[in-house]
Amino acid sequence: MTAQTTPPFKRGDTFALSGVYRINGVPSQLTNQTIRSQLRTSVGGLVANLSAAIDPDQTVNPGRFYLSLVDPAQSATFPAPANLYCDVEVHGGGTVRSTETFIVPVVPDVSQ
């Protein structure tokens, strides 16, 4: 299976993504779960820890989560051009599950 790719991210911009956690294609509530996420290089080098938040209304928005940088200024140091790799790890009920890995292409910024 081919990894999903986000739209290109310009180094130095505000990094913010949202997604929906699904099990077998069906949005799955994240009530009583915790999540975490990181951006890494193709060889596994840590680029950034991400702040991972669960949408508080899991009835209306089942599985919805939000990712941002713990340190927003850190996006200015992202390698570019480069592909960064990310997944979301879900902890709850004694189990750990991870989403599929997705690719975040990073491109240089023009206006500095």
Side-chain angles (χ1 to χ4, degrees):
M1 179 177 281
T2 303
Q4 294 291 319
T5 302
T6 69
F9 174 77
K10 279 213 172 182
R11 178 176 51 202
D13 286 358
T14 300
F15 185 86
L17 293 174
S18 67
V20 175
Y21 177 66
R22 299 172 192 272
I23 297 177
N24 297 323
V26 178
S28 180
Q29 286 193 5
L30 292 169
T31 306
N32 299 321
Q33 311 277 331
T34 58
I35 60 175
R36 69 184 201 122
S37 188
Q38 297 175 322
L39 287 170
R40 292 188 174 268
T41 65
S42 62
V43 294
L46 179 64
V47 173
N49 286 305
L50 299 178
S51 174
I54 296 170
D55 189 300
D57 190 344
Q58 287 293 297
T59 301
V60 173
N61 301 310
R64 173 73 57 196
F65 61 86
Y66 307 96
L67 303 176
S68 61
L69 287 171
V70 171
D71 176 6
Q74 193 174 11
S75 73
T77 65
F78 283 6
N83 283 332
L84 300 181
Y85 296 81
C86 189
D87 66 5
V88 178
E89 196 173 83
V90 179
H91 297 252
T95 63
V96 177
R97 290 190 175 112
S98 294
T99 65
E100 290 186 32
T101 300
F102 57 92
I103 299 168
V104 179
V106 180
V107 296
D109 53 335
V110 176
S111 299
Q112 300 179 29

